[in-house]
Every structure is written in structure tokens, then in C-alpha cells.
């Protein structure tokens, strides 16, 4: 990798930081921009996450230098047209997980890579199929604490994997950062990871 480029991950997500390290980006800074995450009505799932990732990129301008390569992302879970964010409490986590059990849902991530005025945006969607799970299993999972800071109330990289029957698409997208698509986008900014 070309180490003369300064990369900034504009996200406080430990999972995104871990994924960058896994693909060889070990020298990067982290900033957490505060962006208004409201969206216009009528956007598709992909348009919604792209819109928010772009808002985060705009907010990150105040925290970064123009020559920095800034990565922002927004990941959401959609069950049909319903957007499942992070659970408010354990009861909300149980509601979400009960809705997901035995059903297919879609995880969408919007990513923006920006350097100065140059910007590239893309979205990745992954279908996730949950097995049918009993309420006692879901309550045991919630008691682990893992679901409480995650969209859709589960983490596929942890105990939540025990609820997933299969996926169709990018596993890392479900973790919060589609690394293949990101690596291809970074080539346009002079960073080739292989």
C-alpha cells in the first residue's frame, strides 16, 4: 500500500476500524463527525444509506485536511420497508429479533470516499436469512449485551452468527464495511491494497 496517503476513517465504529486493519490499512486516523441523519421521504434503502454517508463526508470536512482521504459509511438493516436501527432497550431488541427470526432482511451500507473535492459514493446490499429462533434463545442472546449497539440488534461476527442461516452477498458489509467495494474505490485515490 502507498503509505504517503493519509487516510481518515470518519466513524467511531470499532468494527469498521478492525476491518480496515484486516485489509492492510493500519495507519489511519479516526474522527467522528456529527451529521444530521434525517433523510427525505421516499428514498430507497440504498439511497438512504448513500445520502447519510454523503452527509457524514460533508460533516467530516471540518475535522480533516483537504488532502486527507476520508472514508465515511452508514449501515442500516431493512426488513421489507421497515428500517431497523439500534435498539432503544432490551424490549426493543426482542421486538426486532423476533421480527427477523425466520425471515430474510437486507443490510445496506453506503460508503463515501473523499479527498478534497473528489468524491466517490457507492452502496452494497446483502440479504441475510435468519433461522427460526425461540423467544428464550433471543432473550439469552440479548442478555449477552451484544445486540444493544448494533443496527437490527445483532452482530453477525459474534454470537449473532448463531441466528444466521445464510447470507447472499458480502459478509463484511453486514459487519458494517464492504471491504472489496472499498478497496476498488480506493484505487481511484491512488491506493492499491494488493
Amino acid at each position: 500500500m502507498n503509505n504517503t496517503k493519509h487516510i481518515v476513517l470518519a466513524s467511531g465504529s470499532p468494527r469498521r476500524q478492525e476491518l480496515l486493519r484486516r485489509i492492510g490499512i493500519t495507519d489511519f486516523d479516526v474522527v467522528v463527525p456529527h451529521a444530521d441523519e434525517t433523510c427525505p421521504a421516499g428514498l430507497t434503502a440504498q439511497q438512504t444509506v448513500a445520502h447519510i454517508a454523503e452527509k457524514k463526508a460533508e460533516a467530516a470536512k471540518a475535522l480533516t485536511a483537504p488532502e486527507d482521504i476520508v472514508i465515511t459509511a452508514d449501515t442500516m438493516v431493512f426488513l421489507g420497508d421497515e428500517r431497523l436501527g439500534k435498539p432503544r432497550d432490551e424490549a426493543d431488541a426482542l421486538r426486532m429479533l423476533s421480527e427477523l427470526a425466520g425471515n430474510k432482511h437486507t443490510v445496506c451500507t453506503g460508503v463515501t470516499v473523499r479527498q478534497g473535492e473528489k468524491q466517490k459514493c457507492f452502496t452494497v446490499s446483502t440479504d441475510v436469512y435468519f433461522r427460526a429462533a425461540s423467544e428464550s434463545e433471543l432473550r439469552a442472546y440479548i442478555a449477552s449485551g451484544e445486540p444493544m449497539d448494533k443496527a437490527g440488534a445483532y452482530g453477525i461476527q459474534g454470537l449473532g452468527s448463531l441466528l444466521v442461516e445464510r447470507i447472499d452477498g458480502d459478509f463484511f458489509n453486514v459487519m458494517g464495511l464492504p471491504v472489496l467495494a472499498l478497496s476498488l474505490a480506493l484505487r481511484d485515490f491512488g491506493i492499491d491494497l494488493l
Side-chain angles (χ1 to χ4, degrees):
M1 185 181 108
N2 182 346
N3 288 322
T4 63
K5 307 280 186 175
H6 184 242
I7 296 176
V8 177
L9 175 63
S11 170
S13 165
R15 289 165 292 283
R16 290 189 181 120
Q17 294 171 36
E18 172 193 345
L19 288 172
L20 282 187
R21 288 184 189 99
R22 282 189 187 187
I23 62 170
I25 300 174
T26 56
D27 185 18
F28 61 92
D29 288 330
V30 174
V31 299
V32 183
H34 297 288
D36 173 15
E37 295 191 15
T38 58
C39 294
L43 295 182
T44 65
Q46 291 80 10
Q47 290 168 331
T48 299
V49 294
H51 181 79
I52 294 173
E54 288 185 63
K55 281 180 145 183
K56 289 178 178 179
E58 186 62 32
K61 283 183 179 180
L63 305 172
T64 58
E67 63 273 12
D68 292 342
I69 297 173
V70 180
I71 301 166
T72 60
D74 190 70
T75 301
M76 292 185 185
V77 174
F78 293 87
L79 181 61
D81 291 332
E82 182 186 4
R83 177 176 142 182
L84 301 179
K86 296 176 182 177
R88 292 181 304 277
D89 53 30
E90 290 186 359
D92 196 33
L94 181 60
R95 176 192 64 82
M96 288 185 199
L97 291 168
S98 297
E99 290 176 1
L100 294 175
N103 290 308
K104 176 188 93 167
H105 63 277
T106 303
V107 178
C108 297
T109 301
V111 178
T112 300
V113 181
R114 180 188 56 74
Q115 183 179 38
E117 295 307 309
K118 180 178 180 178
Q119 182 166 293
K120 184 173 183 83
C121 288
F122 61 90
T123 62
V124 174
S125 296
T126 303
D127 289 332
V128 181
Y129 298 79
F130 265 29
R131 67 175 178 85
S134 68
E135 182 176 328
S136 64
E137 288 176 303
L138 298 179
R139 286 186 183 280
Y141 177 54
I142 292 166
S144 75
E146 184 179 277
M148 302 315 295
D149 68 338
K150 296 172 180 65
Y154 77 96
I156 195 167
Q157 70 281 5
L159 283 175
S161 63
L162 302 177
L163 302 172
V164 176
E165 191 171 87
R166 67 184 174 95
I167 70 167
D168 183 10
D170 184 336
F171 171 83
F172 299 106
N173 179 53
V174 184
M175 281 183 68
L177 194 64
V179 295
L180 172 60
L182 175 61
S183 72
L184 297 176
L186 286 171
R187 288 181 179 176
D188 291 345
F189 294 83
I191 297 173
D192 195 343
L193 297 172
L194 287 179

